[in-house]
Amino acid sequence: MSEKPNNERPADLAVQDSVGGMAKRLLNPAHLRDLAKRGAATLHEQGAEQLWRDVKFRVGLALHHDDWRHRADIPLRRELKAQRAANLQGPKISIIVPLYNTPAKFFDEMLRSVTRQTYQNWELVLVDASDPDKRLEGRLPKSVPGTIVYEPIENGGIAANTTRGFELAHGDYIALLDHDDVLYRNALFEVVQTIQNTGADFVYSDEIVLSADLKELGGYHFKPDFAPDYLRGVNFITHLAVFSRPLLDAAGAYESKEFDGAQDHDLILRLTEKAQRIEHIKKVLYIWRGHAGSTAAGMEAKPYAIAAGERAIDAQLQRLGLPGRAMSVPDAPGAFQVRYELTGNPLISVLIPNKDHTDDLDRCLTSLYKNAGYDNFEVIVIENNSTDPATEAYYQTIPGRFARCRVVRYKGAFNFSAINNFGAQFADGEHLLLLNNDIEVLSHDFLRELLSYSQRPDVGAVGAKLYYPDDTIQHAGVLMGINGSAGHSHKSYPRTAVGDMYRLVTTQDYMAVTGACLMTKTALYRANGGLDEEKFAVAYNDVDYCLKLWQRGLLNVYTPRAEAYHYESKSRGLDTLSENAKRYEREKANFYAKYQQYIDNYDPYYNPHFNNLFENFGLK
């Protein structure tokens, strides 16, 4: 029923090294003793079943086998027993399953996954549009814990068939289940617990893709918490999605056949627009079966769905009053980018701190003026303590070469935050772009793209897609919690990579973006005190600024359509130098003290299934 986001995980040398070293560590006597101690604790606290899973995990990782991984989040037998014994009382969940010439084996496995749920207040609504000789009513069990509603109908298409299921449903909440997919046995129990604990009217979980025989791993969908820009880029929510009947009534069911092929994406867009509380269960509760003809096997199986996806996103833009249009991403079937129209012609003030390195600065200015894609901007070069006489000579050439570009002079010890705050005093623009002098702009409408997001009232800061000179990713958004502070999403991935679930090629909501290239509204910058000159003179000032905006309910956005090279750290030297290292450690400590809650608990735009040692979306 839905398209499958790409689940790409290119090799990362650091991770390869850590995995390769696992086998050696397993043979280390001290490590073996530690494993034995932890094994005994696991056996005592969680039982033999969990101990066996841990052993398979470690042996499989050491030997580079990944067949153990598809068991992610499968509950222990003791957990299932406890859930059944709890006899949880809660809302009726109506599970809607449109059937169409469903293979009997797939039907039986789907049916068993529902009838064996540990939560028993469910209703299975089967709408069978199959050919008369392929209908499956005769395979229904005579007695089940919940109730089954079965209706044969004429095939009106997936949207119309599912809408008929909604009409037949009696539940307080609705769940969607494809006729060839499978629920984990604890799925409804976890959903109902979440609803009761949070009052959510829309709940979704992580999922897994397995082969047709449910034996081979096809990929994981370990998802972020709700991210509206990402949802316009790809239907990352997909399964398992559960929503209240009042929410469905407010959003409307499948209203038009024009979205067939992307009908779930359209529905989820509309549901999340109206939802009062959206909750993400960070567990795999749903198995998406990949086989020939299924969208879980790739969007190439249903190319018409791509056009339907564009229409669904365009429809949301129109509903929300966001002028723009969706475009499919080449070589990333099922992924979309939105080109927003500009709603005005505001002045942008570009702030570029500079100390010597006039070659870098000239490359930055030349590429910016060539590729801005927008005319109404000024540039303020913030001179700070240059010592090379050639630098002053270069400054004298700027007015004749670059329109509306001037130099202001900051005096004092190097303090990146203070330098930018000083430069911002001279800015006349409605929007500020903090830009390092070692940036080389690549995309042809760079400023226009950043502004198209910064103009939105719900957006705080906007960041770009930055590459190292070797064409690997330097920045694609900031992840909290990496190595005890923060790191850059997909760092060191190839420039051509699409990322985990297309996250490199679709707009993303993150808690922060890098200050090497950060656009924000001038009014926001001033209202929030600019960059913190005291606690974060050089490091973490950009993340701190973004987090202040995020805590106020604003979105911080990464757009892959604004691209540039970043020749990182050329301007001020590396943090491995002794004085810089001490300063960095102080600022890291300040950062941890202020944002411990986001560092110790996983970033909502990441997922606890991923490790927090590297920024590569590698599994724990």
Side-chain angles (χ1 to χ4, degrees), residues 276-511:
Q276 297 299 306
R277 178 152 186 167
I278 301 169
E279 287 292 329
H280 168 213
I281 300 174
K282 300 172 182 64
K283 292 182 180 180
V284 171
L285 299 179
Y286 190 102
I287 297 175
W288 199 352
R289 193 194 302 262
H291 58 88
S294 166
T295 47
M299 284 291 285
E300 295 85 349
K302 297 182 180 179
Y304 66 90
I306 296 175
E310 290 180 351
R311 291 193 294 270
I313 297 164
D314 287 346
Q316 184 185 62
L317 296 174
Q318 189 172 17
R319 287 191 301 271
L320 298 179
L322 294 172
R325 62 184 180 88
M327 305 172 293
S328 61
V329 179
D331 302 319
F336 305 91
Q337 294 174 351
V338 175
R339 180 175 173 85
Y340 291 96
E341 299 298 329
L342 297 184
T343 57
N345 188 43
L347 178 66
I348 300 171
S349 296
V350 183
L351 308 181
I352 307 178
N354 187 70
K355 177 183 178 182
D356 296 321
H357 293 283
T358 55
D359 288 346
D360 287 339
L361 178 61
D362 189 68
R363 180 179 57 219
C364 179
L365 291 172
T366 300
S367 64
L368 174 65
Y369 277 80
K370 177 183 177 182
N371 294 314
Y374 184 79
D375 294 332
N376 194 18
F377 70 95
E378 64 175 1
V379 176
I380 300 169
V381 176
I382 312 164
E383 152 61 26
N384 61 102
N385 302 313
S386 293
T387 58
D388 186 348
T391 303
E392 188 61 36
Y394 177 81
Y395 288 157
Q396 299 304 315
T397 70
I398 283 180
R401 297 181 59 209
F402 304 107
R404 300 174 81 174
C405 182
R406 55 195 165 123
V407 178
V408 299
R409 300 174 188 278
Y410 169 85
K411 296 181 180 179
F414 178 75
N415 181 315
F416 184 80
S417 295
I419 292 167
N420 277 283
N421 292 345
F422 175 79
Q425 298 175 24
F426 299 89
D428 295 322
E430 293 179 42
H431 299 262
L432 297 177
L433 175 62
L434 310 187
L435 192 67
N436 280 18
N437 65 346
D438 54 357
I439 293 288
E440 179 182 2
V441 175
L442 299 176
S443 51
H444 70 279
D445 60 349
F446 190 75
L447 286 186
R448 186 208 175 282
E449 175 67 10
L450 295 172
L451 178 61
S452 73
Y453 286 95
S454 188
Q455 71 181 359
R456 280 174 30 191
D458 60 335
V459 170
V462 188
K465 189 176 189 177
L466 304 181
Y467 307 115
Y468 288 113
D470 65 355
D471 285 320
T472 58
I473 300 295
Q474 191 269 338
H475 170 267
V478 172
L479 298 171
M480 293 291 290
I482 304 298
N483 277 319
S485 57
H488 288 180
S489 171
H490 291 91
K491 187 175 181 180
S492 299
Y493 269 54
R495 177 175 175 173
T496 55
V498 298
D500 184 80
M501 293 176 63
Y502 289 148
R503 294 188 68 169
L504 278 175
V505 295
T506 56
T507 300
Q508 297 293 307
D509 300 309
Y510 281 114
M511 296 184 81

Side-chain angles (χ1 to χ4, degrees), residues 138-325:
R139 303 186 74 86
L140 295 177
K142 294 181 179 180
S143 176
V144 294
T147 59
I148 296 179
V149 177
Y150 176 91
E151 180 175 278
I153 63 170
E154 292 294 322
N155 185 21
I158 184 65
N161 298 348
T162 307
T163 297
R164 180 55 185 159
F166 292 151
E167 294 169 352
L168 294 171
H170 303 93
D172 305 293
Y173 280 78
I174 307 292
L176 298 178
L177 176 61
D178 286 4
H179 67 162
D180 49 359
D181 291 344
V182 178
L183 295 177
Y184 276 19
R185 294 186 186 183
N186 61 326
L188 297 185
F189 187 95
E190 297 284 352
V191 166
V192 171
Q193 269 201 331
T194 299
I195 291 169
Q196 292 181 335
N197 291 338
T198 67
D201 53 356
F202 187 98
V203 177
Y204 67 97
S205 74
D206 293 342
E207 63 194 325
I208 189 171
V209 179
L210 296 182
S211 58
D213 61 5
L214 303 182
K215 293 181 179 180
E216 299 296 326
L217 176 66
Y220 292 116
H221 295 167
F222 292 141
K223 308 166 188 177
D225 287 355
F226 180 62
D229 284 287
Y230 186 24
L231 186 58
R232 282 192 281 274
V234 68
N235 182 11
F236 74 90
I237 290 179
T238 56
H239 316 104
L240 173 68
V242 182
F243 40 88
S244 72
R245 168 61 78 171
L247 177 58
L248 177 64
D249 293 341
Y254 295 115
E255 297 171 335
S256 172
K257 293 185 68 173
E258 69 174 312
F259 303 123
D260 274 8
Q263 69 286 335
D264 284 358
H265 198 176
D266 168 62
L267 179 63
I268 289 173
L269 286 167
R270 288 186 286 108
L271 289 169
T272 53
E273 288 170 32
K274 300 286 187 179
Q276 297 299 306
R277 178 152 186 167
I278 301 169
E279 287 292 329
H280 168 213
I281 300 174
K282 300 172 182 64
K283 292 182 180 180
V284 171
L285 299 179
Y286 190 102
I287 297 175
W288 199 352
R289 193 194 302 262
H291 58 88
S294 166
T295 47
M299 284 291 285
E300 295 85 349
K302 297 182 180 179
Y304 66 90
I306 296 175
E310 290 180 351
R311 291 193 294 270
I313 297 164
D314 287 346
Q316 184 185 62
L317 296 174
Q318 189 172 17
R319 287 191 301 271
L320 298 179
L322 294 172
R325 62 184 180 88

Side-chain angles (χ1 to χ4, degrees), residues 480 511 543-551 591 595 598:
M480 293 291 290
M511 296 184 81
V543 183
D544 172 64
Y545 174 74
C546 288
L547 288 174
K548 287 188 288 187
L549 301 179
W550 187 81
Q551 288 173 328
F591 186 72
Y595 296 112
Y598 304 135

Side-chain angles (χ1 to χ4, degrees), residues 130-145:
S130 304
D131 299 336
D133 62 334
K134 294 183 179 178
R135 288 179 178 162
L136 299 167
E137 186 175 12
R139 303 186 74 86
L140 295 177
K142 294 181 179 180
S143 176
V144 294

Side-chain angles (χ1 to χ4, degrees), residues 480 551 592-602:
M480 293 291 290
Q551 288 173 328
Y592 182 78
K594 186 172 183 180
Y595 296 112
Q596 179 181 355
Q597 59 178 320
Y598 304 135
I599 295 170
D600 291 348
N601 302 299
Y602 264 80

